[in-house]
Amino acid sequence: MTSDTTGVATVEEQGRSAPAADSATVLADLTRMLRSTLEEYGLEDAEITLGTTFHDDLEMESIDLVALSGTMREHYGDRVNFAAFIADLELDEIIALTVGELVDYIVASLRATES
């Protein structure tokens, strides 16, 4: 089995129509994606929980969010539109964005597209 660039199996590789839409699975997948993104900064061992903020805790900049968006698209396909999610937020909301808020959005997006 192959996987996307983060080591997370893509939709096709999972042998089902889409990734699981439960918070624990999404958090685990998102954590792997974040570790891959943060690796170049030496932060791959950073603690990532639902309360972790992208800006203050993980020190992610806008370019890092763009990279994460691409990784999420590779993994989830069109079912999760991170760009649309971010576009609906004010700047202070983006700065305060937590992993848990993104997990909730991903789960809701996946469930909304389940057959």
Side-chain angles (χ1 to χ4, degrees):
M1 176 169 88
T2 59
S3 57
D4 64 21
T5 56
T6 65
V8 179
T10 60
V11 171
E12 295 81 18
E13 296 164 343
Q14 292 177 12
R16 59 180 186 243
S17 60
D22 66 87
S23 294
T25 301
V26 170
L27 177 59
D29 290 345
L30 186 57
T31 297
R32 282 190 290 280
M33 291 179 214
L34 286 167
R35 290 201 188 291
S36 176
T37 301
L38 295 170
E39 187 173 35
E40 70 181 88
Y41 302 114
L43 298 172
E44 68 274 8
D45 293 328
E47 181 180 6
I48 299 173
T49 67
L50 293 174
T52 301
T53 61
F54 290 95
H55 183 265
D56 291 339
D57 296 328
L58 300 178
E59 301 176 12
M60 293 182 75
E61 300 291 334
S62 58
I63 192 68
D64 301 315
L65 293 177
V66 171
L68 178 61
S69 177
T71 303
M72 287 174 52
R73 183 170 180 83
E74 185 178 314
H75 181 69
Y76 294 113
D78 293 333
R79 298 179 72 204
V80 176
N81 189 338
F82 183 64
F85 173 64
I86 289 292
D88 287 339
L89 301 176
E90 297 293 328
L91 180 58
D92 58 333
E93 293 173 312
I94 295 170
I95 291 170
L97 184 66
T98 66
V99 170
E101 290 170 308
L102 183 54
V103 166
D104 290 345
Y105 171 76
I106 294 169
V107 169
S109 294
L110 294 174
R111 288 184 178 160
T113 59
E114 286 179 346
S115 308

